[in-house]
Amino acid sequence: MVKSKVKFFNDSSNEDDKNQSFYIDKIVNYLQNKYRHKDMPLAYIHTFGCQQNVNDGEKIKGMIALMGYGFTDSAENADFVLFNTCAVRENAEDRVFGNIGALKRYKTANRNMIIAVCGCMTQQKHIQEKIKKTYHHVNIVFGTHSLHKLPEIIYQAINTDKRIFDVESEESEIIESIPIVRQSKIKAWVPISYGCDHFCTYCVVPYVRGKEKSRTPENILDEIRGIVSTGVKEIGLLGQNVNSYGKGVSPKINFSELLKRVNDIEGDFRIRFMSPHPKDANEDMFDTIANCEKVCNSIHLPFQSGNDKILKKMNRKYTADEYLNLVNYGKKIIPNITFTTDIIVGFPGETYEKFLDTIKILKQVKFASVYSFIYSKRIGTPAEKMEDLIPKKEKSDWLREMLRYQEDITLDLNKSFVGKTVNVLVDEIGKQQDGFISGRCDENILVEFPGAKSLIGNFVKVEIKDYMKCVLIGKKID
Ligand code: SAH
Ligand code: SF4
C-alpha cells in the first residue's frame, strides 16, 4: 500500500480522528489502481456562503489533495464533485439545488462520478430528506460536524453501492491540524471560534453550526505564525461572533487579549476580524484596536435594524443608541476608521416607519459599504412563526430605496479620501485601465493605481487622486 506522506489529526484524543490518515492511505491506493492508465482523477469543490464555509472548503481541498486528486474548475470534467453549502437564506439554498440538479447529465455521461453535498444545508433534516427523495444521483451527504471524517466517508462511498448520509447531531471537539489548501497566498482567514450561542430569532446558524467553541490561543497563534512565515500579508480572525472569543478556554482570555497577542507576532502583516457582535463590543475592544498597529482601522459591525422594537424581536440585545455610541467612540479614538455592516430588510413586524429608522443609522454612521438582505424565513427558527404581513415586492422597494441612500453615502466617503495617503495590500491586476494594479487599503476600500505586477503581494503607500462608486484611484508614492 502507498502511504500518504502527511499525518494529521494526530493531536486529537479521539481514535476515530487519528484513523483518518489510514483511510487516506486506502483511497490513495484505490485511486492509483483505478486510474493507472489514465490521467490523475480530478475533483471539483464548490463552496457557497460565508468565510467560515470558505475556510471549511480549504480544509476539504487539503484532505482531497492528500487522497491523490487534482483539481478542476469544471464539474463536467470531474471524478469527484462536492458542494459545500450555505443555509442562511432561501435563495442560497435554491442555487445549491439548481447546481445539484444540473449535475445529473454529467453523471449520466460519467458513471464513476462521485457527488457529495455538505455544509450548513445538509445539517437540516428536511434538506437531508429532500436530497434522499429527489436527488438520487447524490452519493454522499455529510454535515458540518462530520467534516473531519471526510476520508472515512469517501472510503465508504467507493466501497459500496449505497448512498452515504453522515449527519451527526452531536458536535465533536475542535479538530486541529486538518490539512488545508488555501485559496490565496496573500490573505488567510483563521477561525478563532466555531458555532454560535446567540440565537438571533431569524438565524439558522446556531442550529447548523452548533454551540460556540473557542480554539486555544496557542493553536491560533501557532497557525498564524506558520502562515505569516510563508509570506501571507493579511490575517483575518474568523468567528460567527469573534468578540465573544474565550468561552471554555483556560486560563481565561478575551478577544481584546487575543488581538494583542496576534499583534505581537513578528512579521510584516495586518489583521482584520469578522464578525464582531455589537452586544459584545465595548470601549476596551476599540482601545485595543487603536493600540495595536497591525489591526486595521476598518470594522464590520452588523446592526441588522435601526428600530429598537425590531432589534428586540430579533433578540439582538442592543438598542440603536447603544450601537451608535460604540461607533462614535470608535470614530473618536481611531483615525480614519471605517465601518461596514449587515442589514436585514422586512423582518416580521417591520413597517415602513420602522424601516426608516434603519436609514437613519445609515446616514449617521456613513458606512463604507453595507451587505443588505431581504428577510428570509428559516425553518426551525423562532421568527418562522412570527406574522409577516409585508409582501416581498414592497420589501424589495424598501431595499432599493436604502441602497440609493447608501450609494450617495459611499460616494461621499470615497470623496473624503482624495488627497489622503493609504496603505494598500496589492492582490491582483486592476480593472479600471491597462497597467493598473489593485488591492484594499487598511480602511477596506478597493484602490487601483498604475503599477508593476511584481508589486502583487506587497504593501504600497498610495496617494488617492480620484474616486468612483466602488473604487479609489491613486498614485504610488515612491
Ligand atoms: N454571525 C454573523 C452573521 C452570520 S449570517 C453576525 O452575527 O454578524 C450573515 C448575515 O446574514 C447576518 O448578519 C444577517 O444580516 C444575514 N441573515 C442571517 N439570517 C438571515 C435571514 N433569515 N434572512 C435574511 N438575512 C439573514
Ligand atoms: Fe446568526 Fe446572530 Fe449567531 Fe450571527 S450572532 S450567527 S446572526 S444567531
Side-chain angles (χ1 to χ4, degrees), residues 88-89 202 240 275 302 304 342 344 373-376 378:
V88 167
R89 285 171 294 275
Y202 50 81
Q240 291 301 338
S275 294
Q304 314 297 359
D342 291 349
I344 296 178
F373 315 100
I374 292 183
Y375 166 71
S376 171
R378 303 287 66 210

Side-chain angles (χ1 to χ4, degrees), residues 300-470:
H300 183 69
L301 195 62
F303 80 92
Q304 314 297 359
S305 164
N307 179 274
D308 288 346
K309 288 210 170 85
I310 296 295
L311 284 171
K312 197 164 186 351
K313 267 184 103 177
M314 287 176 163
N315 192 31
R316 290 292 289 182
K317 299 203 167 85
Y318 53 85
T319 63
D321 275 349
E322 283 165 350
Y323 182 86
L324 286 172
N325 287 341
L326 281 171
V327 165
N328 290 335
Y329 184 76
K331 285 183 176 175
K332 196 170 83 190
I333 66 158
I334 302 174
N336 287 338
I337 191 170
T338 56
F339 288 91
T340 54
T341 199
D342 291 349
I343 296 169
I344 296 178
V345 172
F347 184 76
E350 188 165 69
T351 56
Y352 184 67
E353 285 65 38
K354 290 190 171 98
F355 160 73
L356 290 179
D357 289 336
T358 294
I359 304 241
K360 260 193 221 158
I361 301 255
L362 283 193
K363 289 180 175 170
Q364 281 169 283
V365 178
K366 298 191 174 25
F367 294 100
S369 56
V370 302
Y371 300 86
S372 47
F373 315 100
I374 292 183
Y375 166 71
S376 171
K377 189 190 276 195
R378 303 287 66 210
I379 293 177
T381 59
E384 184 199 357
K385 305 267 169 351
M386 294 180 191
E387 194 172 40
D388 187 6
L389 297 171
I390 307 291
K392 187 90 184 267
K393 154 90 181 62
E394 200 170 336
K395 294 183 182 183
S396 303
D397 291 345
W398 297 357
L399 182 72
R400 264 196 299 278
E401 180 177 343
M402 195 181 81
L403 292 176
R404 276 198 299 275
Y405 279 110
Q406 182 54 39
E407 222 169 78
D408 291 345
I409 292 168
T410 303
L411 261 179
D412 264 6
L413 186 88
N414 286 358
K415 187 176 173 186
S416 73
F417 275 87
V418 174
K420 286 183 185 160
T421 296
V422 293
N423 182 40
V424 178
L425 175 56
V426 183
D427 61 359
E428 57 182 11
I429 303 285
K431 297 185 178 68
Q432 299 301 320
Q433 275 186 42
D434 280 352
F436 275 34
I437 49 179
S438 92
R440 289 193 172 262
C441 56
D442 293 350
E443 294 78 7
N444 208 8
I445 301 171
L446 191 66
V447 180
E448 291 209 7
F449 59 99
K453 273 192 226 164
S454 57
L455 289 172
I456 291 178
N458 291 284
F459 289 111
V460 176
K461 296 271 182 264
V462 176
E463 188 186 335
I464 302 304
K465 299 285 187 190
D466 201 356
Y467 66 98
M468 286 186 242
K469 208 164 62 181
C470 307

Side-chain angles (χ1 to χ4, degrees), residues 108-160:
T108 312
N110 173 9
R111 302 301 309 169
N112 286 326
M113 182 186 273
I114 297 176
I115 299 175
V117 185
C118 69
C120 292
M121 268 174 77
T122 56
Q123 199 62 42
Q124 305 170 98
K125 195 115 205 104
H126 67 282
I127 299 285
Q128 296 156 25
E129 290 307 317
K130 184 165 171 175
I131 298 177
K132 234 178 227 166
K133 284 204 191 101
T134 317
Y135 297 91
H136 295 276
H137 55 297
V138 172
N139 305 81
I140 299 174
V141 171
F142 63 97
T144 52
H145 307 318
S146 310
L147 179 79
H148 60 287
K149 286 183 3 194
L150 181 60
E152 183 177 354
I153 293 170
I154 294 185
Y155 183 68
Q156 279 174 21
I158 57 185
N159 275 302
T160 171

